Amino acid sequence: MTDSSVWLASVCESDLESPDGQPQPTRTEIHHPCLLEQQFEGARITAGEIVPCKDCSDHLHEGHPVSGRACRYSDEPTYTIAAVYCAGCAPTKLTETANGREDVLLDADLGLAMAGQTHWTILVEPTIVATA
Ligand SMILES: [Zn+2]
């Protein structure tokens, strides 16, 4: 009787060689223009590295979790970041809403973007908290 276990083992071994070294396929399905959050990813808040909290004037910079309030009038193509709050002052709901204006409350981290000699503070990984 021949010992077939050796042969089987070698077959299994070659099957385990999965192509791990191959690059991941490019994921393009994340880009979805309807996603409101997409509009705020990388949104520019202000020039420079520091953003003051609107309530307590605490200095916020890259890496800080913040809450932002954005608005867009019906004749404007994009939202404007109206105010940025530190985590302690973050509002939990939208107030002072107005007719003809869309308001968005979102959570995000602060990031820093650079181009040549200038840099500015941006929103990173925004999450919509409320809209009105
Ligand atoms: Zn604050």
Side-chain angles (χ1 to χ4, degrees):
M1 195 173 180
T2 46
D3 188 0
S4 59
S5 65
V6 175
W7 180 80
L8 281 173
S10 73
V11 167
C12 287
E13 219 163 53
S14 69
D15 280 347
L16 285 173
E17 284 177 28
S18 54
D20 272 333
Q22 290 199 353
Q24 295 281 325
T26 317
R27 298 186 177 214
T28 51
E29 71 267 26
I30 297 170
H31 295 283
H32 200 289
C34 292
L35 273 179
L36 192 55
E37 287 165 2
Q38 199 74 36
Q39 297 203 31
F40 297 104
E41 178 69 49
R44 179 177 176 147
I45 303 169
T46 184
E49 299 175 28
I50 292 171
V51 181
C53 167
K54 190 160 195 292
D55 271 6
C56 69
S57 300
D58 201 7
H59 285 180
L60 311 167
H61 49 81
E62 185 182 10
H64 267 78
V66 295
S67 184
R69 186 194 162 102
C71 61
R72 181 175 71 92
Y73 291 92
S74 49
D75 60 343
E76 292 176 332
T78 56
Y79 284 86
T80 304
I81 309 295
V84 172
Y85 303 89
C86 71
C89 299
T92 53
K93 62 174 101 174
L94 281 166
T95 54
E96 303 167 37
T97 55
N99 277 338
R101 194 182 73 189
E102 289 179 51
D103 290 282
V104 174
L105 189 63
L106 54 94
D107 282 339
D109 286 340
L110 286 183
L112 200 60
M114 276 177 250
Q117 296 293 310
T118 59
H119 46 259
W120 56 92
T121 306
I122 58 170
L123 292 177
V124 181
E125 294 182 17
T127 306
I128 305 298
V129 176
T131 57

